[in-house]
Amino acid sequence: MSEPVQARRKMPTQTRAKARVADILTAATELIAEGGSEHLKMSDIAARAGVPIGSVYQYFPDKAAIILTLADRIMERVRGGLDTAMANVETKAQAEAALIGTLKAYYNLFLAEPVARDIWFGVQADKTLHELDIEDSRANGAIAYRALRKLCPRKDWKRLETSCFLIMQLTGMAVRLAISVDRKEGDRIMAVYEDMIRRELIGVLAV
């Protein structure tokens, strides 16, 4: 299991320190948008943020810690949306609407914020961050499972739990693939993936 974000960096407590960390993260986001996460350098972040290089290392021990923080922000947004969408699911139709709606929102987030794609490429390139991605999929899968279990026969609960975890991990992969090709093909990929969700998750639920 990966270290939590807080374990990878010093957490600012004073207003001035929080503002400096915000400037560092803004600078990192801008540099990733311009050159990708693989070319991100701590010295460039310091220069863009207008802070001493020591200040960057004071709050972030390495580049991975910065990418981890940015990725965690995206994860929190997605998980919050999923949690809200699944909170009041009582029927099969509501389950389908919640899952497909969340998927579309996730896809649209990456379309609207291309830098998110580069952040996720940085996550996949680092073993520790990749483990964080898996744990995020497990947490999202647990949210879906809790909402869907009441609509699923008890004998299928274990399969449903595994399917929820798998689908959440595959969702990230499907979206990253869809935004890596032209928009029309990306839309077709997402349409096929929606059908996969309907078959694997919605198909096992009671009417």
Side-chain angles (χ1 to χ4, degrees), residues 72-121:
D72 189 68
R73 289 182 171 186
I74 297 172
M75 290 176 180
E76 287 181 354
R77 287 172 61 185
V78 173
R79 187 176 304 137
L82 177 64
D83 201 17
T84 299
M86 302 301 294
N88 298 312
V89 167
E90 298 293 341
T91 67
K92 185 174 182 176
Q94 290 174 345
E96 179 176 352
L99 287 169
I100 300 303
T102 301
L103 173 64
K104 289 181 177 179
Y106 188 45
Y107 181 39
N108 288 332
L109 183 156
F110 275 76
L111 288 174
E113 302 178 29
V115 68
R117 174 193 60 195
D118 293 307
I119 290 171
W120 280 115
F121 285 159

mmCIF file of all heavy atoms in Angstrom, residues 72-121:
data_model
loop_
_atom_site.group_PDB
_atom_site.id
_atom_site.type_symbol
_atom_site.label_atom_id
_atom_site.label_comp_id
_atom_site.label_asym_id
_atom_site.label_seq_id
_atom_site.Cartn_x
_atom_site.Cartn_y
_atom_site.Cartn_z
ATOM 1 N N ASP A 72 -3.910 13.174 -5.938
ATOM 2 C CA ASP A 72 -4.839 12.976 -4.829
ATOM 3 C C ASP A 72 -6.000 13.947 -4.903
ATOM 4 O O ASP A 72 -7.140 13.603 -4.573
ATOM 5 C CB ASP A 72 -4.089 13.138 -3.505
ATOM 6 C CG ASP A 72 -4.937 12.737 -2.311
ATOM 7 O OD1 ASP A 72 -5.238 11.537 -2.174
ATOM 8 O OD2 ASP A 72 -5.317 13.621 -1.510
ATOM 9 N N ARG A 73 -5.736 15.157 -5.358
ATOM 10 C CA ARG A 73 -6.810 16.143 -5.514
ATOM 11 C C ARG A 73 -7.830 15.673 -6.551
ATOM 12 O O ARG A 73 -9.040 15.837 -6.361
ATOM 13 C CB ARG A 73 -6.228 17.489 -5.914
ATOM 14 C CG ARG A 73 -5.453 18.186 -4.808
ATOM 15 C CD ARG A 73 -4.953 19.540 -5.259
ATOM 16 N NE ARG A 73 -4.400 20.305 -4.144
ATOM 17 C CZ ARG A 73 -3.992 21.560 -4.238
ATOM 18 N NH1 ARG A 73 -4.080 22.202 -5.396
ATOM 19 N NH2 ARG A 73 -3.508 22.193 -3.179
ATOM 20 N N ILE A 74 -7.334 15.114 -7.646
ATOM 21 C CA ILE A 74 -8.240 14.595 -8.668
ATOM 22 C C ILE A 74 -9.033 13.419 -8.115
ATOM 23 O O ILE A 74 -10.248 13.312 -8.321
ATOM 24 C CB ILE A 74 -7.443 14.166 -9.918
ATOM 25 C CG1 ILE A 74 -6.742 15.369 -10.535
ATOM 26 C CG2 ILE A 74 -8.374 13.506 -10.941
ATOM 27 C CD1 ILE A 74 -5.788 15.019 -11.656
ATOM 28 N N MET A 75 -8.348 12.526 -7.396
ATOM 29 C CA MET A 75 -9.015 11.363 -6.815
ATOM 30 C C MET A 75 -10.133 11.774 -5.868
ATOM 31 O O MET A 75 -11.217 11.189 -5.869
ATOM 32 C CB MET A 75 -7.998 10.505 -6.058
ATOM 33 C CG MET A 75 -7.013 9.783 -6.938
ATOM 34 S SD MET A 75 -5.781 8.899 -5.939
ATOM 35 C CE MET A 75 -4.777 8.154 -7.232
ATOM 36 N N GLU A 76 -9.871 12.789 -5.055
ATOM 37 C CA GLU A 76 -10.881 13.246 -4.108
ATOM 38 C C GLU A 76 -12.102 13.804 -4.833
ATOM 39 O O GLU A 76 -13.240 13.578 -4.410
ATOM 40 C CB GLU A 76 -10.279 14.309 -3.186
ATOM 41 C CG GLU A 76 -9.301 13.744 -2.160
ATOM 42 C CD GLU A 76 -8.748 14.825 -1.244
ATOM 43 O OE1 GLU A 76 -9.035 16.024 -1.485
ATOM 44 O OE2 GLU A 76 -8.030 14.487 -0.292
ATOM 45 N N ARG A 77 -11.886 14.528 -5.913
ATOM 46 C CA ARG A 77 -13.005 15.071 -6.691
ATOM 47 C C ARG A 77 -13.847 13.945 -7.279
ATOM 48 O O ARG A 77 -15.081 13.959 -7.199
ATOM 49 C CB ARG A 77 -12.471 15.950 -7.809
ATOM 50 C CG ARG A 77 -11.918 17.275 -7.349
ATOM 51 C CD ARG A 77 -11.236 18.003 -8.505
ATOM 52 N NE ARG A 77 -12.148 18.285 -9.605
ATOM 53 C CZ ARG A 77 -11.758 18.820 -10.756
ATOM 54 N NH1 ARG A 77 -10.486 19.117 -10.954
ATOM 55 N NH2 ARG A 77 -12.642 19.062 -11.704
ATOM 56 N N VAL A 78 -13.170 12.961 -7.857
ATOM 57 C CA VAL A 78 -13.886 11.852 -8.487
ATOM 58 C C VAL A 78 -14.623 11.021 -7.442
ATOM 59 O O VAL A 78 -15.790 10.661 -7.619
ATOM 60 C CB VAL A 78 -12.908 10.969 -9.287
ATOM 61 C CG1 VAL A 78 -13.609 9.723 -9.806
ATOM 62 C CG2 VAL A 78 -12.303 11.761 -10.450
ATOM 63 N N ARG A 79 -13.945 10.724 -6.331
ATOM 64 C CA ARG A 79 -14.575 9.905 -5.296
ATOM 65 C C ARG A 79 -15.765 10.629 -4.678
ATOM 66 O O ARG A 79 -16.793 10.020 -4.382
ATOM 67 C CB ARG A 79 -13.568 9.530 -4.209
ATOM 68 C CG ARG A 79 -14.140 8.530 -3.186
ATOM 69 C CD ARG A 79 -13.092 8.104 -2.172
ATOM 70 N NE ARG A 79 -11.948 7.546 -2.868
ATOM 71 C CZ ARG A 79 -10.674 7.822 -2.543
ATOM 72 N NH1 ARG A 79 -10.410 8.661 -1.570
ATOM 73 N NH2 ARG A 79 -9.682 7.269 -3.215
ATOM 74 N N GLY A 80 -15.642 11.933 -4.498
ATOM 75 C CA GLY A 80 -16.761 12.700 -3.960
ATOM 76 C C GLY A 80 -17.966 12.656 -4.886
ATOM 77 O O GLY A 80 -19.101 12.522 -4.428
ATOM 78 N N GLY A 81 -17.708 12.765 -6.187
ATOM 79 C CA GLY A 81 -18.800 12.688 -7.150
ATOM 80 C C GLY A 81 -19.457 11.327 -7.165
ATOM 81 O O GLY A 81 -20.687 11.212 -7.236
ATOM 82 N N LEU A 82 -18.637 10.271 -7.093
ATOM 83 C CA LEU A 82 -19.173 8.909 -7.065
ATOM 84 C C LEU A 82 -19.983 8.671 -5.799
ATOM 85 O O LEU A 82 -21.082 8.090 -5.851
ATOM 86 C CB LEU A 82 -18.032 7.897 -7.156
ATOM 87 C CG LEU A 82 -18.414 6.417 -7.068
ATOM 88 C CD1 LEU A 82 -19.288 6.016 -8.250
ATOM 89 C CD2 LEU A 82 -17.161 5.541 -7.006
ATOM 90 N N ASP A 83 -19.464 9.118 -4.677
ATOM 91 C CA ASP A 83 -20.145 8.924 -3.394
ATOM 92 C C ASP A 83 -21.507 9.606 -3.406
ATOM 93 O O ASP A 83 -22.514 9.041 -2.960
ATOM 94 C CB ASP A 83 -19.274 9.492 -2.270
ATOM 95 C CG ASP A 83 -19.633 8.906 -0.911
ATOM 96 O OD1 ASP A 83 -20.302 7.856 -0.875
ATOM 97 O OD2 ASP A 83 -19.256 9.505 0.101
ATOM 98 N N THR A 84 -21.552 10.816 -3.939
ATOM 99 C CA THR A 84 -22.809 11.550 -4.015
ATOM 100 C C THR A 84 -23.795 10.856 -4.953
ATOM 101 O O THR A 84 -24.988 10.715 -4.642
ATOM 102 C CB THR A 84 -22.557 12.991 -4.503
ATOM 103 O OG1 THR A 84 -21.702 13.666 -3.566
ATOM 104 C CG2 THR A 84 -23.865 13.756 -4.635
ATOM 105 N N ALA A 85 -23.288 10.409 -6.108
ATOM 106 C CA ALA A 85 -24.163 9.772 -7.095
ATOM 107 C C ALA A 85 -24.753 8.462 -6.592
ATOM 108 O O ALA A 85 -25.909 8.136 -6.887
ATOM 109 C CB ALA A 85 -23.383 9.519 -8.387
ATOM 110 N N MET A 86 -23.975 7.702 -5.798
ATOM 111 C CA MET A 86 -24.426 6.390 -5.350
ATOM 112 C C MET A 86 -25.204 6.442 -4.034
ATOM 113 O O MET A 86 -25.782 5.439 -3.617
ATOM 114 C CB MET A 86 -23.228 5.448 -5.174
ATOM 115 C CG MET A 86 -22.375 5.246 -6.423
ATOM 116 S SD MET A 86 -23.278 4.571 -7.827
ATOM 117 C CE MET A 86 -23.698 2.927 -7.227
ATOM 118 N N ALA A 87 -25.233 7.603 -3.389
ATOM 119 C CA ALA A 87 -25.781 7.701 -2.035
ATOM 120 C C ALA A 87 -27.251 7.305 -1.940
ATOM 121 O O ALA A 87 -27.671 6.692 -0.953
ATOM 122 C CB ALA A 87 -25.581 9.122 -1.503
ATOM 123 N N ASN A 88 -28.045 7.656 -2.937
ATOM 124 C CA ASN A 88 -29.490 7.422 -2.850
ATOM 125 C C ASN A 88 -29.999 6.402 -3.855
ATOM 126 O O ASN A 88 -31.169 6.423 -4.229
ATOM 127 C CB ASN A 88 -30.225 8.759 -3.038
ATOM 128 C CG ASN A 88 -29.872 9.768 -1.958
ATOM 129 O OD1 ASN A 88 -29.891 9.441 -0.771
ATOM 130 N ND2 ASN A 88 -29.534 10.976 -2.373
ATOM 131 N N VAL A 89 -29.118 5.509 -4.288
ATOM 132 C CA VAL A 89 -29.520 4.477 -5.248
ATOM 133 C C VAL A 89 -30.424 3.454 -4.576
ATOM 134 O O VAL A 89 -30.050 2.847 -3.569
ATOM 135 C CB VAL A 89 -28.282 3.778 -5.844
ATOM 136 C CG1 VAL A 89 -28.679 2.510 -6.593
ATOM 137 C CG2 VAL A 89 -27.545 4.729 -6.779
ATOM 138 N N GLU A 90 -31.611 3.267 -5.127
ATOM 139 C CA GLU A 90 -32.567 2.307 -4.570
ATOM 140 C C GLU A 90 -33.075 1.318 -5.620
ATOM 141 O O GLU A 90 -33.669 0.309 -5.267
ATOM 142 C CB GLU A 90 -33.765 3.044 -3.958
ATOM 143 C CG GLU A 90 -33.410 3.964 -2.790
ATOM 144 C CD GLU A 90 -32.925 3.184 -1.570
ATOM 145 O OE1 GLU A 90 -33.206 1.969 -1.495
ATOM 146 O OE2 GLU A 90 -32.266 3.799 -0.706
ATOM 147 N N THR A 91 -32.859 1.628 -6.898
ATOM 148 C CA THR A 91 -33.367 0.768 -7.961
ATOM 149 C C THR A 91 -32.270 0.499 -8.990
ATOM 150 O O THR A 91 -31.247 1.194 -9.025
ATOM 151 C CB THR A 91 -34.563 1.419 -8.686
ATOM 152 O OG1 THR A 91 -34.102 2.571 -9.401
ATOM 153 C CG2 THR A 91 -35.646 1.825 -7.699
ATOM 154 N N LYS A 92 -32.514 -0.490 -9.822
ATOM 155 C CA LYS A 92 -31.568 -0.833 -10.891
ATOM 156 C C LYS A 92 -31.387 0.339 -11.851
ATOM 157 O O LYS A 92 -30.259 0.641 -12.272
ATOM 158 C CB LYS A 92 -32.083 -2.065 -11.639
ATOM 159 C CG LYS A 92 -31.144 -2.601 -12.691
ATOM 160 C CD LYS A 92 -31.693 -3.906 -13.259
ATOM 161 C CE LYS A 92 -30.747 -4.503 -14.295
ATOM 162 N NZ LYS A 92 -31.237 -5.823 -14.780
ATOM 163 N N ALA A 93 -32.478 1.019 -12.176
ATOM 164 C CA ALA A 93 -32.408 2.166 -13.084
ATOM 165 C C ALA A 93 -31.572 3.292 -12.475
ATOM 166 O O ALA A 93 -30.776 3.941 -13.167
ATOM 167 C CB ALA A 93 -33.811 2.663 -13.415
ATOM 168 N N GLN A 94 -31.752 3.518 -11.189
ATOM 169 C CA GLN A 94 -30.969 4.548 -10.511
ATOM 170 C C GLN A 94 -29.494 4.167 -10.453
ATOM 171 O O GLN A 94 -28.613 5.026 -10.599
ATOM 172 C CB GLN A 94 -31.501 4.772 -9.096
ATOM 173 C CG GLN A 94 -32.863 5.452 -9.048
ATOM 174 C CD GLN A 94 -33.427 5.518 -7.639
ATOM 175 O OE1 GLN A 94 -32.954 4.833 -6.727
ATOM 176 N NE2 GLN A 94 -34.451 6.342 -7.455
ATOM 177 N N ALA A 95 -29.214 2.887 -10.274
ATOM 178 C CA ALA A 95 -27.829 2.413 -10.239
ATOM 179 C C ALA A 95 -27.154 2.668 -11.582
ATOM 180 O O ALA A 95 -26.009 3.147 -11.641
ATOM 181 C CB ALA A 95 -27.792 0.932 -9.893
ATOM 182 N N GLU A 96 -27.848 2.346 -12.653
ATOM 183 C CA GLU A 96 -27.293 2.559 -13.985
ATOM 184 C C GLU A 96 -27.043 4.047 -14.241
ATOM 185 O O GLU A 96 -25.977 4.434 -14.739
ATOM 186 C CB GLU A 96 -28.235 2.006 -15.045
ATOM 187 C CG GLU A 96 -27.736 2.221 -16.466
ATOM 188 C CD GLU A 96 -28.627 1.578 -17.520
ATOM 189 O OE1 GLU A 96 -29.553 0.834 -17.147
ATOM 190 O OE2 GLU A 96 -28.394 1.830 -18.723
ATOM 191 N N ALA A 97 -28.000 4.871 -13.891
ATOM 192 C CA ALA A 97 -27.855 6.306 -14.103
ATOM 193 C C ALA A 97 -26.682 6.868 -13.301
ATOM 194 O O ALA A 97 -25.922 7.712 -13.801
ATOM 195 C CB ALA A 97 -29.147 7.025 -13.722
ATOM 196 N N ALA A 98 -26.521 6.398 -12.069
ATOM 197 C CA ALA A 98 -25.438 6.888 -11.213
ATOM 198 C C ALA A 98 -24.077 6.478 -11.750
ATOM 199 O O ALA A 98 -23.143 7.294 -11.816
ATOM 200 C CB ALA A 98 -25.625 6.374 -9.791
ATOM 201 N N LEU A 99 -23.937 5.215 -12.137
ATOM 202 C CA LEU A 99 -22.647 4.717 -12.614
ATOM 203 C C LEU A 99 -22.266 5.339 -13.959
ATOM 204 O O LEU A 99 -21.130 5.791 -14.136
ATOM 205 C CB LEU A 99 -22.681 3.195 -12.732
ATOM 206 C CG LEU A 99 -22.660 2.432 -11.408
ATOM 207 C CD1 LEU A 99 -22.966 0.961 -11.643
ATOM 208 C CD2 LEU A 99 -21.303 2.591 -10.717
ATOM 209 N N ILE A 100 -23.198 5.360 -14.888
ATOM 210 C CA ILE A 100 -22.901 5.917 -16.208
ATOM 211 C C ILE A 100 -22.701 7.423 -16.112
ATOM 212 O O ILE A 100 -21.817 7.993 -16.774
ATOM 213 C CB ILE A 100 -24.028 5.587 -17.209
ATOM 214 C CG1 ILE A 100 -24.178 4.066 -17.356
ATOM 215 C CG2 ILE A 100 -23.730 6.217 -18.557
ATOM 216 C CD1 ILE A 100 -22.920 3.336 -17.783
ATOM 217 N N GLY A 101 -23.478 8.074 -15.271
ATOM 218 C CA GLY A 101 -23.310 9.514 -15.086
ATOM 219 C C GLY A 101 -21.956 9.860 -14.513
ATOM 220 O O GLY A 101 -21.306 10.828 -14.932
ATOM 221 N N THR A 102 -21.490 9.060 -13.541
ATOM 222 C CA THR A 102 -20.175 9.291 -12.957
ATOM 223 C C THR A 102 -19.075 9.050 -13.975
ATOM 224 O O THR A 102 -18.087 9.795 -14.038
ATOM 225 C CB THR A 102 -19.964 8.371 -11.739
ATOM 226 O OG1 THR A 102 -20.983 8.638 -10.760
ATOM 227 C CG2 THR A 102 -18.602 8.618 -11.095
ATOM 228 N N LEU A 103 -19.228 8.006 -14.782
ATOM 229 C CA LEU A 103 -18.248 7.722 -15.823
ATOM 230 C C LEU A 103 -18.137 8.885 -16.801
ATOM 231 O O LEU A 103 -17.029 9.315 -17.166
ATOM 232 C CB LEU A 103 -18.642 6.448 -16.573
ATOM 233 C CG LEU A 103 -17.800 6.107 -17.811
ATOM 234 C CD1 LEU A 103 -16.358 5.814 -17.418
ATOM 235 C CD2 LEU A 103 -18.414 4.911 -18.558
ATOM 236 N N LYS A 104 -19.264 9.412 -17.231
ATOM 237 C CA LYS A 104 -19.256 10.524 -18.175
ATOM 238 C C LYS A 104 -18.622 11.767 -17.546
ATOM 239 O O LYS A 104 -17.881 12.508 -18.216
ATOM 240 C CB LYS A 104 -20.678 10.819 -18.641
ATOM 241 C CG LYS A 104 -21.247 9.744 -19.559
ATOM 242 C CD LYS A 104 -22.656 10.075 -20.020
ATOM 243 C CE LYS A 104 -23.165 9.023 -21.002
ATOM 244 N NZ LYS A 104 -24.554 9.287 -21.460
ATOM 245 N N ALA A 105 -18.894 11.995 -16.275
ATOM 246 C CA ALA A 105 -18.305 13.148 -15.591
ATOM 247 C C ALA A 105 -16.788 13.003 -15.505
ATOM 248 O O ALA A 105 -16.043 13.976 -15.660
ATOM 249 C CB ALA A 105 -18.909 13.282 -14.190
ATOM 250 N N TYR A 106 -16.324 11.783 -15.274
ATOM 251 C CA TYR A 106 -14.891 11.502 -15.197
ATOM 252 C C TYR A 106 -14.238 11.758 -16.554
ATOM 253 O O TYR A 106 -13.173 12.395 -16.641
ATOM 254 C CB TYR A 106 -14.703 10.054 -14.752
ATOM 255 C CG TYR A 106 -13.292 9.630 -14.444
ATOM 256 C CD1 TYR A 106 -12.445 10.426 -13.687
ATOM 257 C CD2 TYR A 106 -12.812 8.393 -14.879
ATOM 258 C CE1 TYR A 106 -11.159 10.018 -13.381
ATOM 259 C CE2 TYR A 106 -11.526 7.979 -14.587
ATOM 260 C CZ TYR A 106 -10.706 8.792 -13.839
ATOM 261 O OH TYR A 106 -9.432 8.391 -13.547
ATOM 262 N N TYR A 107 -14.848 11.267 -17.594
ATOM 263 C CA TYR A 107 -14.350 11.473 -18.957
ATOM 264 C C TYR A 107 -14.308 12.963 -19.287
ATOM 265 O O TYR A 107 -13.307 13.477 -19.815
ATOM 266 C CB TYR A 107 -15.261 10.720 -19.934
ATOM 267 C CG TYR A 107 -14.881 10.797 -21.390
ATOM 268 C CD1 TYR A 107 -13.555 10.753 -21.808
ATOM 269 C CD2 TYR A 107 -15.878 10.903 -22.369
ATOM 270 C CE1 TYR A 107 -13.231 10.812 -23.162
ATOM 271 C CE2 TYR A 107 -15.560 10.957 -23.721
ATOM 272 C CZ TYR A 107 -14.237 10.916 -24.116
ATOM 273 O OH TYR A 107 -13.921 10.966 -25.450
ATOM 274 N N ASN A 108 -15.376 13.672 -18.971
ATOM 275 C CA ASN A 108 -15.434 15.100 -19.258
ATOM 276 C C ASN A 108 -14.395 15.889 -18.466
ATOM 277 O O ASN A 108 -13.878 16.907 -18.945
ATOM 278 C CB ASN A 108 -16.842 15.642 -18.967
ATOM 279 C CG ASN A 108 -17.865 15.179 -19.983
ATOM 280 O OD1 ASN A 108 -17.527 14.903 -21.130
ATOM 281 N ND2 ASN A 108 -19.114 15.056 -19.559
ATOM 282 N N LEU A 109 -14.084 15.433 -17.257
ATOM 283 C CA LEU A 109 -13.055 16.098 -16.458
ATOM 284 C C LEU A 109 -11.715 16.053 -17.190
ATOM 285 O O LEU A 109 -10.996 17.052 -17.278
ATOM 286 C CB LEU A 109 -12.941 15.415 -15.089
ATOM 287 C CG LEU A 109 -11.965 15.998 -14.059
ATOM 288 C CD1 LEU A 109 -12.404 15.602 -12.654
ATOM 289 C CD2 LEU A 109 -10.525 15.518 -14.274
ATOM 290 N N PHE A 110 -11.375 14.880 -17.725
ATOM 291 C CA PHE A 110 -10.107 14.736 -18.421
ATOM 292 C C PHE A 110 -10.106 15.489 -19.746
ATOM 293 O O PHE A 110 -9.061 15.979 -20.179
ATOM 294 C CB PHE A 110 -9.792 13.254 -18.647
ATOM 295 C CG PHE A 110 -9.121 12.610 -17.469
ATOM 296 C CD1 PHE A 110 -9.847 12.265 -16.340
ATOM 297 C CD2 PHE A 110 -7.767 12.344 -17.478
ATOM 298 C CE1 PHE A 110 -9.245 11.672 -15.248
ATOM 299 C CE2 PHE A 110 -7.147 11.753 -16.389
ATOM 300 C CZ PHE A 110 -7.878 11.416 -15.273
ATOM 301 N N LEU A 111 -11.259 15.569 -20.395
ATOM 302 C CA LEU A 111 -11.345 16.341 -21.633
ATOM 303 C C LEU A 111 -11.183 17.831 -21.355
ATOM 304 O O LEU A 111 -10.524 18.552 -22.111
ATOM 305 C CB LEU A 111 -12.694 16.097 -22.319
ATOM 306 C CG LEU A 111 -12.900 14.728 -22.967
ATOM 307 C CD1 LEU A 111 -14.339 14.601 -23.460
ATOM 308 C CD2 LEU A 111 -11.920 14.500 -24.119
ATOM 309 N N ALA A 112 -11.777 18.294 -20.268
ATOM 310 C CA ALA A 112 -11.741 19.719 -19.928
ATOM 311 C C ALA A 112 -10.404 20.134 -19.319
ATOM 312 O O ALA A 112 -10.007 21.292 -19.430
ATOM 313 C CB ALA A 112 -12.874 20.053 -18.959
ATOM 314 N N GLU A 113 -9.712 19.187 -18.680
ATOM 315 C CA GLU A 113 -8.450 19.487 -18.009
ATOM 316 C C GLU A 113 -7.366 18.521 -18.491
ATOM 317 O O GLU A 113 -7.052 17.535 -17.817
ATOM 318 C CB GLU A 113 -8.620 19.385 -16.492
ATOM 319 C CG GLU A 113 -9.705 20.309 -15.940
ATOM 320 C CD GLU A 113 -9.891 20.165 -14.442
ATOM 321 O OE1 GLU A 113 -8.909 19.816 -13.754
ATOM 322 O OE2 GLU A 113 -11.012 20.394 -13.963
ATOM 323 N N PRO A 114 -6.781 18.796 -19.662
ATOM 324 C CA PRO A 114 -5.765 17.885 -20.219
ATOM 325 C C PRO A 114 -4.597 17.617 -19.284
ATOM 326 O O PRO A 114 -3.974 16.555 -19.353
ATOM 327 C CB PRO A 114 -5.306 18.625 -21.486
ATOM 328 C CG PRO A 114 -6.463 19.495 -21.863
ATOM 329 C CD PRO A 114 -7.070 19.923 -20.556
ATOM 330 N N VAL A 115 -4.308 18.558 -18.381
ATOM 331 C CA VAL A 115 -3.191 18.352 -17.463
ATOM 332 C C VAL A 115 -3.439 17.150 -16.558
ATOM 333 O O VAL A 115 -2.492 16.495 -16.104
ATOM 334 C CB VAL A 115 -2.944 19.618 -16.607
ATOM 335 C CG1 VAL A 115 -4.090 19.860 -15.637
ATOM 336 C CG2 VAL A 115 -1.620 19.522 -15.862
ATOM 337 N N ALA A 116 -4.714 16.826 -16.325
ATOM 338 C CA ALA A 116 -5.039 15.657 -15.500
ATOM 339 C C ALA A 116 -4.490 14.390 -16.132
ATOM 340 O O ALA A 116 -4.035 13.477 -15.442
ATOM 341 C CB ALA A 116 -6.547 15.543 -15.309
ATOM 342 N N ARG A 117 -4.531 14.326 -17.460
ATOM 343 C CA ARG A 117 -3.988 13.165 -18.169
ATOM 344 C C ARG A 117 -2.496 13.017 -17.900
ATOM 345 O O ARG A 117 -2.005 11.915 -17.602
ATOM 346 C CB ARG A 117 -4.221 13.321 -19.666
ATOM 347 C CG ARG A 117 -3.574 12.251 -20.526
ATOM 348 C CD ARG A 117 -3.583 12.653 -21.979
ATOM 349 N NE ARG A 117 -2.854 13.911 -22.163
ATOM 350 C CZ ARG A 117 -2.936 14.656 -23.260
ATOM 351 N NH1 ARG A 117 -3.743 14.305 -24.246
ATOM 352 N NH2 ARG A 117 -2.238 15.774 -23.358
ATOM 353 N N ASP A 118 -1.758 14.131 -17.965
ATOM 354 C CA ASP A 118 -0.317 14.071 -17.757
ATOM 355 C C ASP A 118 0.029 13.733 -16.313
ATOM 356 O O ASP A 118 1.026 13.063 -16.040
ATOM 357 C CB ASP A 118 0.321 15.403 -18.155
ATOM 358 C CG ASP A 118 0.210 15.662 -19.644
ATOM 359 O OD1 ASP A 118 0.618 14.796 -20.424
ATOM 360 O OD2 ASP A 118 -0.300 16.730 -20.026
ATOM 361 N N ILE A 119 -0.806 14.197 -15.393
ATOM 362 C CA ILE A 119 -0.600 13.831 -13.989
ATOM 363 C C ILE A 119 -0.761 12.328 -13.820
ATOM 364 O O ILE A 119 0.028 11.666 -13.144
ATOM 365 C CB ILE A 119 -1.584 14.589 -13.078
ATOM 366 C CG1 ILE A 119 -1.210 16.084 -13.048
ATOM 367 C CG2 ILE A 119 -1.581 14.014 -11.662
ATOM 368 C CD1 ILE A 119 -2.243 16.954 -12.358
ATOM 369 N N TRP A 120 -1.779 11.752 -14.476
ATOM 370 C CA TRP A 120 -2.005 10.315 -14.354
ATOM 371 C C TRP A 120 -0.921 9.508 -15.040
ATOM 372 O O TRP A 120 -0.588 8.410 -14.601
ATOM 373 C CB TRP A 120 -3.380 9.947 -14.904
ATOM 374 C CG TRP A 120 -4.452 10.229 -13.924
ATOM 375 C CD1 TRP A 120 -5.457 11.126 -14.033
ATOM 376 C CD2 TRP A 120 -4.611 9.643 -12.625
ATOM 377 N NE1 TRP A 120 -6.222 11.135 -12.903
ATOM 378 C CE2 TRP A 120 -5.736 10.240 -12.024
ATOM 379 C CE3 TRP A 120 -3.893 8.681 -11.922
ATOM 380 C CZ2 TRP A 120 -6.163 9.907 -10.753
ATOM 381 C CZ3 TRP A 120 -4.325 8.335 -10.648
ATOM 382 C CH2 TRP A 120 -5.441 8.949 -10.077
ATOM 383 N N PHE A 121 -0.341 10.046 -16.107
ATOM 384 C CA PHE A 121 0.786 9.351 -16.723
ATOM 385 C C PHE A 121 1.955 9.308 -15.743
ATOM 386 O O PHE A 121 2.693 8.330 -15.671
ATOM 387 C CB PHE A 121 1.201 10.056 -18.016
ATOM 388 C CG PHE A 121 0.259 9.813 -19.162
ATOM 389 C CD1 PHE A 121 0.217 10.668 -20.246
ATOM 390 C CD2 PHE A 121 -0.611 8.728 -19.146
ATOM 391 C CE1 PHE A 121 -0.649 10.443 -21.306
ATOM 392 C CE2 PHE A 121 -1.495 8.493 -20.196
ATOM 393 C CZ PHE A 121 -1.513 9.352 -21.281
#
